């Protein structure tokens, strides 16, 4: 049967520890405005939900039938390391001339030479280009980002680009070709960490909501080595009221 989403408010939850843990309960009742979706129930069933208003945080209460509705919020973290198989860095090409057209033409010619010099290492993409007046003429500035395949040839690449016409270079940072898969793995492990923490705290409810707080790559100043993907998620667990005779279907936590 098709599922419909009933709203439930999990607002202003207090962090009870460094992991961001909070538990509270309130009676089943109509939801206030601005609540957050949390439960799914079958069509035609009576609408029940559990709400946690900020004004009554930490005040456990019983649902209809004397059962408490527990809410638990847990933060999960994970780190996934991957060997670097490339690096990225930026370079600038700056040219000057007496007029705008000449400055632009010289810059475009230099850019072609730079791209040709980098073909053996990877690819170059343009990020920025401008021409501006200066005393006695015009300056053209073009910014390129270089994506190198493999590691260990940083100095060789930089020397080749400088000879080709690059006038400024930034430091290289390591990269990983399967970055999307590594990020997905870090998020999956972070959610698993949240589940394990909830179980350690004696949680009996199901996962009703999860959100990504951050997922990023970190690395050292060297273009070699490894890339570490770090992820943090916030997971909300809740125990829904039990089904009661003559009242239809009670809401159930959604599985994610």
């Amino acid at each position: 049967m098709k599922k419909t989403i009933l709203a439930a408010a999990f607002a202003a939850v207090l962090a009870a520890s460094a992991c961001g843990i909070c538990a509270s309960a309130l009676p089943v009742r109509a939801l206030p405005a601005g609540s957050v979706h949390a439960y799914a129930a079958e069509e035609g069933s009576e609408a029940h939900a559990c709400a946690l208003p900020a004004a009554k945080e930490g005040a456990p209460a019983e649902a209809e039938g004397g059962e408490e509705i527990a809410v638990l919020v847990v933060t999960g973290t994970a780190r996934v390391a991957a060997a670097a198989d490339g690096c990225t860095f930026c370079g600038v090409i700056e040219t000057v001339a007496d007029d705008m057209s000449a400055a632009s033409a010289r810059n475009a010619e230099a850019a072609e030479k730079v791209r040709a010099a980098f073909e053996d290492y990877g690819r170059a993409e343009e990020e920025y280009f401008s021409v501006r007046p200066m005393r006695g003429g015009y300056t053209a500035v073009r910014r390129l980002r270089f994506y190198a395949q493999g590691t260990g040839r940083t100095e060789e690449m930089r020397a080749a680009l400088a000879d080709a016409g690059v006038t400024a270079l930034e430091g290289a940072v390591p990269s990983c070709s399967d970055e999307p898969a590594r990020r997905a793995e870090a998020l999956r492990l972070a959610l698993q960490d949240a589940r394990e923490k909830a179980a350690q705290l004696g949680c009996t409810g199901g996962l009703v909501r999860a959100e990504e707080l951050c997922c990023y790559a970190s690395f050292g100043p060297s273009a070699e080595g490894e890339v570490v993907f770090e992820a943090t998620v916030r997971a909300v667990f809740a125990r829904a009221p039990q089904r009661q005779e003559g009242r239809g279907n009670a809401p159930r936590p959604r599985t994610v």
Side-chain angles (χ1 to χ4, degrees), residues 6-13 26 29-39 49-54 71 209 236 238:
L6 300 177
F10 293 102
V13 180
L26 287 173
R29 62 182 183 179
L31 292 174
S35 58
V36 180
H37 291 90
Y39 285 100
C50 96
L52 185 61
V71 176
R209 181 185 178 93
V236 180

Side-chain angles (χ1 to χ4, degrees), residues 208-224:
V208 295
R209 181 185 178 93
E211 62 182 66
E212 174 187 344
L213 297 182
C214 65
C215 185
Y216 59 91
S218 61
F219 36 74
S222 172
E224 293 78 29

Side-chain angles (χ1 to χ4, degrees), residues 118-236:
F118 197 71
E119 285 181 352
D120 292 338
Y121 304 102
R123 75 182 194 278
E125 295 182 1
E126 183 175 315
E127 290 189 339
Y128 171 82
F129 175 73
S130 71
V131 184
R132 63 179 183 271
M134 57 173 289
R135 176 176 292 184
Y138 286 82
T139 299
V141 178
R142 190 184 309 265
R143 177 184 172 92
L144 300 174
R145 180 169 293 275
F146 301 96
Y147 298 86
Q149 301 171 354
T151 60
R153 304 171 69 187
T154 307
E155 294 306 318
E156 179 184 332
M157 289 185 290
R158 294 170 69 87
L161 292 173
D163 291 340
V166 172
T167 55
L169 282 169
E170 296 180 357
V173 296
S175 63
C176 179
S177 59
D178 59 346
E179 179 174 330
R182 299 292 183 172
R183 288 181 181 273
E185 177 68 3
L187 288 169
R188 184 188 69 80
L189 293 176
L191 184 57
Q192 179 179 316
D193 180 55
R195 291 180 183 273
E196 292 173 354
K197 289 176 180 176
Q200 292 169 2
L201 291 166
C203 177
T204 59
L207 177 66
V208 295
R209 181 185 178 93
E211 62 182 66
E212 174 187 344
L213 297 182
C214 65
C215 185
Y216 59 91
S218 61
F219 36 74
S222 172
E224 293 78 29
E226 65 179 17
V227 184
V228 178
F229 298 91
E230 304 187 37
T232 303
V233 301
R234 179 185 291 119
V236 180

